Amino acid sequence: MGIDVGSVSTNFALIDEDLRVVEHLYLRTQGQPIAAVQTGLQEIASRIRPDDIVLGVGTTGSARHLTGTLVRADSIKNEITANAVAAALVVPDVRTVIEIGGQDSKIIIIQDQVAVDFAMNTVCAAGTGSFLDQQANRLNIRIVDFGDIALTAQSSVRIAGRCTVFAESDMIHKQQLGYDKAEILAGLCEAMVKNYLNNVAKGKDIQP
C-alpha cells in the first residue's frame, strides 16, 4: 500500500503482486494529515476482504515522515524518487516528469530510468495546484470540473499568473470586461504553464 500525504490531498493506492491497482482513494488533507490518514485507512479497510493481508506500506509526500511513523511504514521516500520510479515503471523510456502539486511544482529529468536532475518551485503558490484551486473557489467551480470547463473555451484571455493576488484582481477585471468563465479558466491554465516554464523548467532540456 502506498500513501501520499500532501498539503492539499491525501492519496492511497493498494496494489497486488502483479503491481495492478486494486483500490485507490483521494481525500482532502484540510490541514489535518493524521486525521486524513486515519480516515483513509478506515475506508481502505472497509473495501478489502477480512483475510486480505497488506504485505508492505510506503509513504511519500510532504507529510511522509509523520505518516511513516504513524503507520510504521516499511519505506519512506521523497516525491522526487517516488515519481521517478513510478514513471519509469509505467513508461520505461520516460525522460521528463512534470508534477504540479498543491504547494510546489517539480520537473524531474530521467535518463535510463534514473533521476539525474530536478528542480522545484516552493517560493510562490502561483505555479502550483493551489493557485488553480483558489481561483476555482473564487469562481464557484469545483476543481474537478476546472479542466473540462476550460477546454470548452473558444479562446483564452490573458491572466497575470506570476502572483495569486494579481491573478485575482486580473480575473475580476476580465469578468467586468465580459469574458466568460471558460475563457478565464483557460487563461489561468495558460498562465500557470508559462509560470512553470519560466521558473521551474527554466534551463531544463524537456524531452518526451
Side-chain angles (χ1 to χ4, degrees):
M1 178 167 61
I3 307 174
D4 176 4
V5 185
S7 59
V8 173
S9 67
T10 296
N11 309 279
F12 293 77
L14 201 61
I15 60 175
D16 62 16
E17 293 90 340
D18 298 317
L19 302 182
R20 294 175 301 190
V21 177
V22 294
E23 287 293 348
H24 61 88
L25 178 65
Y26 171 94
L27 298 171
R28 287 283 184 153
T29 305
Q30 296 181 327
Q32 301 183 59
I34 294 178
V37 170
Q38 291 173 331
T39 299
L41 289 174
Q42 291 172 354
E43 176 62 26
I44 290 293
S46 70
R47 297 183 184 183
I48 62 177
R49 297 173 303 184
D51 57 341
D52 283 335
I53 299 175
V54 176
L55 299 176
V57 179
T59 62
T60 189
S62 56
R64 60 187 178 276
H65 293 293
L66 173 64
T67 306
T69 300
L70 181 66
V71 302
R72 298 182 181 180
D74 301 282
S75 177
I76 300 175
K77 299 294 183 181
N78 62 51
E79 302 98 310
I80 302 298
T81 301
N83 277 319
V85 171
L89 180 66
V90 177
V91 185
D93 59 348
V94 64
R95 289 183 287 181
T96 306
V97 175
I98 295 173
E99 187 210 347
I100 308 296
Q103 273 191 334
D104 58 41
S105 297
K106 309 177 187 70
I107 184 170
I108 307 170
I109 306 301
I110 299 176
Q111 292 180 4
D112 299 322
Q113 300 188 348
V114 176
V116 296
D117 191 15
F118 73 92
M120 298 175 62
N121 169 32
T122 59
V123 177
C124 177
T128 68
S130 62
F131 169 71
L132 296 184
D133 203 29
Q134 291 168 8
Q135 311 318 318
N137 285 333
R138 292 190 176 103
L139 292 171
N140 196 29
I141 292 172
R142 297 191 311 160
I143 190 63
V144 294
D145 299 325
F146 196 110
D148 290 336
I149 296 174
L151 289 173
T152 65
Q154 297 300 310
S155 62
S156 63
V157 58
R158 185 171 182 176
I159 301 288
R162 286 186 172 273
C163 174
T164 55
V165 176
F166 292 155
E168 181 181 3
S169 61
D170 206 11
M171 279 171 48
I172 294 172
H173 178 60
K174 294 303 192 298
Q175 284 179 301
Q176 292 172 340
L177 292 177
Y179 291 98
D180 63 30
K181 285 185 179 181
E183 292 172 318
I184 292 174
L185 293 181
L188 285 168
C189 290
E190 290 184 358
M192 192 173 75
V193 170
K194 291 176 182 176
N195 187 305
Y196 181 91
L197 292 175
N198 291 330
N199 292 284
V200 182
K202 187 175 183 178
K204 302 298 182 185
D205 183 20
I206 300 178
Q207 297 289 332

